[in-house]
Amino acid sequence: MLNFIKNWSLPFTMCLGVLAYIVAHALQLPIEVKDGINEGIKIAQPALLFCMLYISFCKIDFKQLRLRPWHGYLLLVQIGMMGLLSTILHFMPHNNWFIILECMLACFICPTATASVVIVEKLKGNPATLLMYNILINISVALIVPAFIPLFVQNELGFTEAFTSIIKQVFPVIMIPLILARLTNRFLPKLREKITKIKDLACYLWMVALALAMATASRAFAHTDIDLYTLLGIIAITASSCVLQFFVGRRIGKPFGDHISAGQALGQKNTVFVIWLAYTFMDPICAVAGGLYSIWHNTINSIQLYRNGSK
């Protein structure tokens, strides 16, 4: 039983997060308690990601943190799809197909998940090359999304305000632990050695963060009022977008001997960012896309980790 849970820890954690939301909702807690829980999750999620990334970054050889050819190809794919889908939405009437396509756009706009470094490390990929792409795509998203969003959404925020909002949302979680890890490696090598000796610590922290993310996604899903056919369309478009991005990423990275990192870079997404983006700029229904995409990419990660562990 323990081996089964270990091999399929991601689906187990995802189910635990969904179950936690169902139980909390069924208890009919006072609104003050619910607000307190939501505020606690808002604080706990970035704190867990921060610690997890700091531990993972301490293991990285910073000399490998440089541009690779596949970074450029992945940026072209992701930015190209953002531009194409934004242009199509600009000329579409606002109907169910518009919402489904907007959910697809959210899947391509979304930058790489910060937790992808942990998965790549477990899959024996190259965390340094993935981290470099993560920095690049977050900068690109911050610059490009404020330019693309006005094509299909009426929003009162100007470019500068939108840029600042996105930077505040995604950048500190990556850059601050990265800088601290670099300082630790340079000036506190004994501390670094102690941190890196604790096996799978970053992975355990990520499991807790994943459970909280699934509880948040479940809440977004439960509070969305959409008809069945639109929901089925969003399920299909998010699943196909996820599989497509993993496939394209791995194919692009394969000639450069880095298919694991490239696949995760394009396929594993910061779905909490999608939910935030939906409520801030896009149709709130797109928050459902973030929750569904989280299920799909973690399912693919579970299969990859199982195959890697069975070799």
Side-chain angles (χ1 to χ4, degrees):
M1 177 62 73
L2 288 175
N3 284 334
F4 176 82
I5 293 174
K6 183 178 179 181
N7 290 334
W8 295 98
S9 55
L10 294 192
F12 179 79
T13 304
M14 291 161 62
C15 291
L16 192 63
V18 174
L19 182 62
Y21 170 76
I22 293 172
V23 170
H25 182 71
L27 289 175
Q28 296 183 340
L29 299 170
I31 189 66
E32 295 82 5
V33 176
K34 289 183 178 180
D35 289 342
I37 293 173
N38 291 331
E39 288 301 315
I41 291 174
K42 287 180 182 179
I43 295 170
Q45 279 185 314
L48 286 166
L49 287 173
F50 184 95
C51 295
M52 176 191 73
L53 290 177
Y54 171 71
I55 294 165
S56 298
F57 293 165
C58 280
K59 300 177 183 179
I60 289 176
D61 180 1
F62 282 83
K63 293 179 181 178
Q64 296 183 18
L65 201 63
R66 58 180 185 270
L67 293 172
R68 303 299 174 95
W70 62 262
H71 290 152
Y73 291 122
L74 259 62
L75 284 173
L76 284 174
V77 170
Q78 206 163 347
I79 294 171
M81 287 300 295
M82 290 184 210
L84 175 63
L85 292 171
S86 297
T87 303
I88 293 172
L89 287 169
H90 177 71
F91 294 102
M92 281 186 68
H94 196 283
N95 51 26
N96 288 350
W97 286 107
F98 181 96
I99 293 170
I100 292 170
L101 202 61
E102 191 177 15
C103 288
M104 183 180 182
L105 173 61
C107 295
F108 280 92
I109 279 180
C110 191
T112 306
T114 49
S116 58
V117 177
V118 178
I119 293 294
V120 164
E121 185 182 349
K122 298 286 285 184
L123 294 173
K124 298 179 174 59
N126 190 335
T129 58
L130 176 65
L131 174 58
M132 189 70 230
Y133 183 78
N134 208 334
I135 294 170
L136 291 171
I137 191 58
N138 275 283
I139 293 172
S140 300
V141 165
L143 289 171
I144 293 169
V145 168
F148 283 158
I149 289 292
L151 287 176
F152 60 94
V153 175
Q154 294 294 326
N155 197 288
E156 296 179 358
L157 290 180
F159 178 87
T160 303
E161 291 84 359
F163 172 81
T164 305
S165 297
I166 295 171
I167 284 290
K168 287 180 179 178
Q169 175 70 16
V170 297
F171 222 57
V173 181
I174 298 174
M175 294 309 299
I176 296 176
L178 176 63
I179 293 168
L180 288 178
R182 183 71 181 100
L183 292 173
T184 302
N185 292 356
R186 178 70 177 82
F187 299 107
L188 299 169
K190 290 185 179 180
L191 176 60
R192 175 189 180 276
E193 187 178 351
K194 289 181 180 180
I195 291 171
T196 54
K197 276 186 177 179
I198 304 174
K199 188 178 180 182
D200 293 333
L201 177 58
C203 190
Y204 293 138
L205 291 173
W206 178 58
M207 293 296 178
V208 179
L210 176 60
L212 293 177
M214 288 307 301
T216 303
S218 300
R219 180 176 177 272
F221 188 85
H223 286 77
T224 301
D225 184 20
I226 52 177
D227 63 84
L228 177 61
Y229 292 107
T230 304
L231 176 60
L232 292 174
I234 295 173
I235 291 172
I237 207 69
T238 52
S240 57
S241 296
C242 183
V243 172
L244 177 64
Q245 289 185 91
F246 269 102
F247 175 77
V248 171
R250 290 177 71 90
R251 287 297 297 268
I252 289 174
K254 190 173 182 179
F256 305 102
D258 210 2
H259 64 285
I260 294 174
S261 297
Q264 295 304 129
L266 196 59
Q268 188 174 349
K269 301 293 189 178
N270 180 359
T271 52
V272 175
F273 175 80
V274 173
I275 295 171
W276 172 82
L277 189 73
Y279 285 124
T280 306
F281 297 104
M282 305 168 75
D283 194 313
I285 292 175
C286 292
V288 175
L292 289 169
Y293 196 99
S294 182
I295 295 172
W296 310 140
H297 81 211
N298 282 300
T299 300
I300 291 174
N301 285 338
S302 299
I303 295 169
Q304 291 181 127
L305 289 170
Y306 177 77
R307 287 178 176 176
N308 187 67
S310 64
K311 289 180 181 177

